[in-house]
């Protein structure tokens, strides 16, 4: 098997499925620029082991799947590793790609608990623990999310929890419970932020942009309990199938064009020969 080819295709599928730009993905993986990412996706270079681990943790995927040694994209082990990495970042006051204060961290966790009604995250007893590794493990293991959220949905949640800020999470929550009517949502959100953080954060807050809105709303709808089985919003495996189909079609078209060009050349050569004979 060509592992480099498999990795490049699966790396692109991950980024495409979540609608992440090269710049966004480079920032997520703490790369200096998007050049490295571009070289990975085009089979020009291979990532370091550290990069592979970071990719797997961010998306909750199996490294074996990423490099083509397995067809199982998610495992309970890969998901747990990703969730531990997420809550370790949160416990270190690093949320949504930026450093935050202790109060912001606690508010972020409370927001996730609120939106999920305690099904995805249950904070009972978490803040009484003094050792961060125990807090992290309790955030991952003390809830019932394994029963209500399939692995593919937990992967979506893992990525979105990395990307969505507390402010946008509250905005999307109020928007959804308001029947997806924006009227009054910004005012309610700013009032909530004022009570939690004060005017420093509430006053400058504005309605999130289109991409941020979509991510925050998807996060809320995936977190909220439902009697129906949840399905992923971002389907990496389906995206991969589409990319592979497009690649095969491209190869088919290139072969067809080459054959057409060869026929044209052969026909042209034949005409030239006959013309030359006539002239003789």
């Amino acid at each position: 098997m060509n592992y480099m080819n498999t990795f490049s295709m699966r790396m692109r599928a991950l980024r495409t499925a979540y609608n992440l730009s090269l710049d966004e993905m480079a920032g997520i993986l703490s790369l200096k620029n998007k050049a490295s990412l571009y070289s990975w996706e085009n089979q020009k270079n291979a990532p370091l082991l550290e990069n592979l681990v970071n990719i797997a943790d961010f998306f909750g995927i199996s490294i074996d799947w990423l490099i083509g040694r397995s067809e199982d994209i998610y495992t309970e082990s890969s998901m747990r590793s990703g969730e531990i990495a997420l809550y370790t970042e949160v416990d270190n006051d690093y949320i949504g790609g930026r450093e935050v204060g202790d109060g912001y961290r606690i508010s972020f966790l409370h927001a996730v608990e609120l939106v999920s009604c305690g099904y995805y995250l249950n904070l009972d007893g978490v803040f009484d623990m003094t050792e961060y590794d125990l807090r992290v493990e309790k955030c991952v293991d003390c809830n019932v999310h394994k029963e209500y959220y399939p692995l593919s949905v937990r992967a979506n949640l893992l990525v979105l929890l990395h990307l969505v800020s507390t402010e946008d999470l509250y905005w999307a929550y109020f928007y959804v419970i308001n029947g997806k009517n924006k009227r009054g949502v910004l005012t309610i959100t700013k009032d909530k932020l004022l009570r939690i953080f004060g005017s420093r954060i509430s006053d400058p807050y504005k309605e999130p942009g289109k991409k941020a809105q979509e991510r925050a709303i998807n996060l809320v709808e995936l977190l909220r309990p439902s009697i129906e089985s949840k399905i992923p919003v971002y389907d990496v495996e389906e995206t991969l199938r589409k990319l592979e189909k497009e690649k095969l079609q491209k190869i088919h078209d290139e072969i067809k064009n080459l054959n057409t060009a060869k026929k044209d050349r052969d026909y042209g050569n034949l005409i030239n020969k006959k013309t030359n004979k006539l002239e003789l």
Side-chain angles (χ1 to χ4, degrees):
M1 175 178 282
N2 186 335
Y3 293 115
M4 192 63 194
N5 177 63
T6 302
F7 166 76
S8 67
M9 181 65 74
R10 294 183 176 185
M11 185 69 231
R12 180 173 294 179
L14 287 165
R15 188 175 61 79
T16 303
Y18 285 98
N19 192 23
L20 293 163
S21 68
L22 285 168
D23 285 325
E24 281 183 301
M25 194 71 249
I28 286 165
L29 298 176
S30 300
L31 302 174
K32 291 182 179 179
N33 53 57
K34 63 184 179 183
S36 294
L37 192 61
Y38 178 84
S39 69
W40 299 347
E41 291 190 6
N42 290 276
Q43 303 182 54
K44 297 181 183 298
N45 208 345
L48 299 174
L49 178 59
E50 179 183 359
N51 297 133
L52 287 175
V53 171
N54 288 340
I55 294 166
D57 283 348
F58 182 82
F59 291 104
I61 59 171
S62 159
I63 291 180
D64 279 346
W65 175 84
L66 184 59
I67 62 175
R69 287 169 52 89
S70 170
E71 293 305 311
D72 295 325
I73 181 172
Y74 307 115
T75 66
E76 187 59 48
S77 176
S78 71
M79 198 59 60
R80 191 172 190 279
S81 294
E83 289 168 348
I84 286 176
L86 167 69
Y87 288 112
T88 297
E89 281 192 5
V90 172
D91 204 79
N92 288 330
D93 297 337
Y94 194 82
I95 298 173
R98 60 192 173 112
E99 290 188 23
V100 297
D102 188 56
Y104 189 100
R105 169 179 64 86
I106 293 172
S107 297
F108 173 78
L109 294 172
H110 277 306
V112 175
E113 182 183 43
L114 169 69
V115 174
S116 69
C117 299
Y119 282 84
Y120 181 78
L121 182 64
N122 187 331
L123 296 173
D124 186 32
V126 169
F127 299 118
D128 295 330
M129 298 178 172
T130 56
E131 296 184 29
Y132 91 91
D133 55 336
L134 294 179
R135 290 196 299 272
V136 168
E137 289 189 12
K138 191 163 179 61
C139 283
V140 173
D141 296 330
C142 75
N143 47 57
V144 291
H145 69 238
K146 295 174 186 177
E147 179 181 350
Y148 291 94
Y149 303 91
L151 285 173
S152 55
V153 173
R154 284 166 63 189
N156 279 191
L157 290 169
L158 186 61
V159 173
L160 291 172
L161 287 168
H162 277 289
L163 299 174
V164 177
S165 68
T166 305
E167 299 95 316
D168 288 350
L169 178 55
Y170 274 119
W171 180 91
Y173 173 66
F174 292 130
Y175 170 72
V176 170
I177 65 174
N178 197 42
K180 294 190 174 180
N181 184 342
K182 290 185 179 181
R183 185 184 295 275
V185 170
L186 182 59
T187 300
I188 297 171
T189 304
K190 289 171 77 75
D191 287 344
K192 180 70 173 179
L193 297 178
L194 179 62
R195 292 196 300 273
I196 298 174
F197 302 118
S199 59
R200 181 177 60 85
I201 288 180
S202 66
D203 285 355
Y205 181 71
K206 297 179 181 179
E207 182 180 297
K210 183 178 179 181
K211 183 182 279 191
Q213 274 191 33
E214 180 182 289
R215 288 172 176 170
I217 293 168
N218 286 338
L219 176 55
V220 168
E221 293 186 326
L222 287 173
L223 281 173
R224 296 186 77 197
S226 171
I227 58 174
E228 299 178 354
S229 298
K230 289 186 175 291
I231 59 174
V233 176
Y234 308 95
D235 193 331
V236 176
E237 292 174 291
E238 178 60 26
T239 301
L240 178 60
R241 284 191 286 271
K242 288 180 180 179
L243 289 176
E244 289 174 337
K245 185 177 180 180
E246 288 173 4
K247 185 175 181 179
L248 287 175
Q249 184 62 49
K250 184 178 179 180
I251 293 172
H252 173 78
D253 290 343
E254 287 175 350
I255 293 173
K256 184 178 179 180
N257 291 335
L258 286 173
N259 289 335
T260 300
K262 184 176 184 300
K263 288 179 181 178
D264 289 343
R265 287 196 301 272
D266 291 344
Y267 181 74
N269 291 335
L270 180 62
I271 294 297
N272 289 334
K273 286 180 181 179
K274 289 186 177 295
T275 301
N276 291 334
K277 286 181 178 179
L278 288 173
E279 289 176 351
L280 292 172

